[in-house]
Amino acid sequence: EYVQMAGRAGRRGKDTTGTVIILCKDDVPESGDLHKMILGTPTTLESQFRLTYSMLLNIMRVETLRVEDVMKRSFGELDSMKHEVDRKQKLESLQQSASSLETLTCPECYRDIDQYYKSCVQLNKLKKKIQTLLFSSGH
């Protein structure tokens, strides 16, 4: 209960700290237990938000709401946004590494890579056809 209450102290996205007042109805917890509860490692939270078809339809009924806005307010998306800067930096680093790679100069290499790419595209198309058949057959 403390973790849930403390997690809601303050205004979401505005306050970095909040105030929690603990009212003990029966026994006052031991100071060691309070210390562990307050300063201990917080429980990892996992978003339970699931976007469903009915939710999409309800959002679309309200003209002032957009699906993107609802997604941005979800816990999972908020957590994802925290790591966006790290992902952008990693992407830039990978792009720099890729741009420094030596280009292929042999014609045989190009032919092999081109054939491999065409085979991969064909394989993906076949996988999609198989999935469509499996899902439409009612099994």
Side-chain angles (χ1 to χ4, degrees), residues 94-132:
L94 289 171
Q95 286 173 331
Q96 286 178 351
S97 297
S99 66
S100 66
L101 292 175
E102 188 177 322
T103 57
L104 296 175
T105 56
C106 71
E108 291 82 23
C109 297
Y110 282 122
R111 206 171 22 255
D112 290 343
I113 289 174
D114 186 49
Q115 181 57 45
Y116 176 75
Y117 175 77
K118 287 177 182 176
S119 297
C120 288
V121 168
Q122 186 178 8
L123 176 65
N124 283 333
K125 286 180 182 178
L126 289 172
K127 282 182 180 180
K128 285 180 183 178
K129 282 183 181 180
I130 291 170
Q131 286 177 344
T132 302

Side-chain angles (χ1 to χ4, degrees), residues 5-65:
M5 186 172 48
R8 297 179 191 274
R11 297 169 296 173
R12 182 182 294 187
K14 295 187 181 206
D15 295 329
T16 55
T17 60
T19 301
V20 176
I21 299 171
I22 300 175
L23 174 63
C24 302
K25 291 184 179 181
D26 297 322
D27 297 328
V28 177
E30 295 290 325
S31 64
D33 292 338
L34 280 173
H35 186 268
K36 185 174 148 185
M37 177 177 62
I38 294 170
L39 299 176
T41 306
T43 307
T44 304
L45 298 176
E46 186 175 319
S47 176
Q48 297 300 312
F49 178 78
R50 302 289 180 260
L51 191 61
T52 62
Y53 290 115
S54 60
M55 186 185 299
L56 282 172
L57 291 173
N58 287 329
I59 291 171
M60 292 173 76
R61 279 192 217 161
V62 181
E63 292 180 18
T64 57
L65 279 179

